[in-house]
Amino acid sequence: MKLLLVEDEAKLAEYLRHGLTQEGFIVDVALDGLDGLHQACEGQYDLMVLDGMLPGLDGLAVLAALRQQKQTQALPVLMLTARGDVEDRVKGLQSGADDYLVKPFAFSELVARLHVLMRRSQGTHSPDTTVLKLGDLELDLLRRKAQRAGQRLELTAKEFSLLTLLLRRQGEVLSRTELAEQVWDMNFDSETNVVEVAVRRLRTKLDVPFELPMIHTVRGMGYVLELRQN
């Protein structure tokens, strides 16, 4: 999931960026309202965390502008604010915010609320929509657990994100360039073998212990996750 964080407190922004990245999100950061609005309109994001108190253009103004743009009308937005008054929260929700979190807050609560917004954006509250499956492989996006044949797979945050992308697009050949952009949010550098290393490590956990491999290399094109009969 790609997330835009708009927060003018640089230290807090970096703390949240680091933490959310560890949770498997791809995070872009904007330090003021104008930049945040521009990035939201020009980029493609699944979620937005928006501070209410911003220099230049405050959070409510950014939110109002977002809801007027066709491409950002449905973007799920969680607002952060130091103001805890009921009136302020109501104003934010009425302006189009999907959720509201008052500073200071627990990071775990922020993550939980983002997962709820993620479920809503998929059009249902059913937890089944957050479970991806292929054969005996099962990935629980909310609990961040992966298992195959009932056996728990101990994955790093990046391995989990990589497997999620491959599983969401099972049967499709994904190039190294696309994997680098989607999982690491980086432009692909032919001198960098980060994708190959990550795929190799994921294979040792997902394929090596089991009879039927799932990750396949398509020479000259990339990788695909699918079941193939021997």
Side-chain angles (χ1 to χ4, degrees):
M1 300 293 287
K2 193 167 184 179
L3 181 149
L4 176 60
L5 170 64
V6 187
E7 168 60 62
D8 65 314
E9 296 180 39
K11 288 185 178 181
L12 176 58
E14 176 57 24
Y15 167 75
L16 293 178
R17 186 202 65 77
H18 178 76
L20 291 170
T21 299
Q22 292 299 311
E23 289 292 327
F25 292 95
I26 295 172
V27 183
D28 286 345
V29 176
L31 297 176
D32 62 63
L34 284 173
D35 189 30
L37 179 58
H38 174 75
Q39 287 186 233
C41 292
E42 294 298 320
Q44 293 185 336
Y45 295 97
D46 301 295
L47 296 167
M48 183 177 188
V49 177
L50 176 64
D51 186 24
M53 302 287 287
L54 294 168
L57 198 64
D58 69 16
L60 289 179
V62 171
L63 190 57
L66 286 176
R67 295 315 185 213
Q68 291 175 1
Q69 302 292 323
K70 184 177 181 180
Q71 68 269 32
T72 55
Q73 282 179 349
L75 176 65
V77 176
L78 184 148
M79 289 199 74
L80 302 177
T81 183
R83 299 180 299 195
D85 294 342
V86 172
E87 185 178 344
D88 288 327
R89 293 200 298 272
V90 170
K91 187 182 296 183
L93 294 170
Q94 289 178 337
S95 297
D98 298 278
D99 203 353
Y100 210 93
L101 194 56
V102 179
K103 298 177 181 178
F105 55 85
F107 178 74
S108 58
E109 182 179 2
L110 171 64
V111 172
R113 287 173 180 263
L114 289 175
H115 281 308
V116 170
L117 290 182
M118 194 163 63
R119 288 208 307 271
R120 290 178 186 169
S121 69
Q122 293 171 338
T124 176
H125 292 276
S126 170
D128 293 338
T129 60
T130 62
V131 176
L132 305 176
K133 296 181 180 181
L134 175 64
D136 58 0
L137 171 64
E138 183 174 302
L139 201 69
D140 189 322
L141 299 177
L142 281 185
R143 296 178 177 83
R144 297 192 63 75
K145 291 182 179 179
Q147 63 178 16
R148 184 169 182 187
Q151 204 172 321
R152 177 77 177 264
L153 305 178
E154 299 296 338
L155 305 179
T156 65
K158 286 302 181 187
E159 289 167 352
F160 190 91
S161 296
L162 176 60
L163 182 56
T164 299
L165 178 59
L166 289 168
L167 195 49
R168 283 188 185 280
R169 298 176 59 180
Q170 55 187 267
E172 293 184 42
V173 178
L174 301 179
S175 68
R176 292 186 299 166
T177 300
E178 185 168 7
L179 291 174
E181 290 176 347
Q182 295 293 323
V183 178
W184 286 268
D185 195 24
M186 58 182 280
N187 293 322
F188 184 73
D189 183 348
S190 59
E191 299 300 319
T192 301
N193 66 344
V194 62
V195 175
E196 289 88 342
V197 170
V199 170
R200 184 166 62 248
R201 289 176 176 171
L202 181 58
R203 273 177 165 152
T204 63
K205 299 176 182 181
L206 177 65
D207 286 346
V208 173
F210 304 94
E211 182 178 351
L212 195 63
M214 289 189 172
I215 301 176
H216 306 277
T217 301
V218 181
R219 185 167 296 182
M221 297 180 67
Y223 303 95
V224 60
L225 184 77
E226 62 184 4
L227 292 177
R228 295 179 180 177
Q229 296 301 322
N230 294 330

